[in-house]
Amino acid sequence: MELIVKSNNEQSIAKIIALARKLKVSVERKTTSVDESRADALKDRILNFKATNKSQFGDAAEWERREREDRDLPLLCV
């Protein structure tokens, strides 16, 4: 079995490695780095995403109104 643990907290990683050694579990440590400009570009791409096609599920607000039209909201019954 393989277990992958990801963290930016070096103290937590050190504790996990110490526990693994105590339990006689082999540990393989890999350092991964992400190019910051590439990460920023990906973040911007995700945040600025615009769908090109209309959703095939329709209008969510309209569906909710239709589904709940027979129920009163508790705060409106006051």
Side-chain angles (χ1 to χ4, degrees):
M1 180 176 24
E2 185 175 291
L3 173 67
I4 298 172
V5 178
K6 296 179 181 182
S7 176
N8 291 333
N9 187 327
E10 288 295 325
Q11 290 178 334
S12 295
I13 294 292
K15 289 176 184 177
I16 292 168
I17 290 172
L19 178 60
R21 288 183 180 145
K22 190 174 185 178
L23 296 172
K24 296 181 175 42
V25 175
S26 67
V27 176
E28 182 180 329
R29 189 170 184 172
K30 295 180 182 178
T31 303
T32 58
S33 63
V34 176
D35 181 19
E36 197 166 315
S37 62
R38 200 168 154 209
D40 287 340
L42 179 59
K43 182 177 114 180
D44 289 341
R45 185 174 163 206
I46 291 169
L47 292 175
N48 296 324
F49 175 78
K50 302 280 189 234
T52 56
N53 298 330
K54 187 177 178 183
S55 170
Q56 51 183 270
F57 296 106
D59 183 14
E62 179 60 35
W63 173 84
E64 189 170 2
R65 276 193 289 278
R66 228 181 17 257
E67 288 296 312
R68 296 176 184 222
E69 67 186 356
D70 61 332
R71 291 178 257 163
D72 291 329
L73 293 175
L75 297 175
L76 298 177
C77 297
V78 178

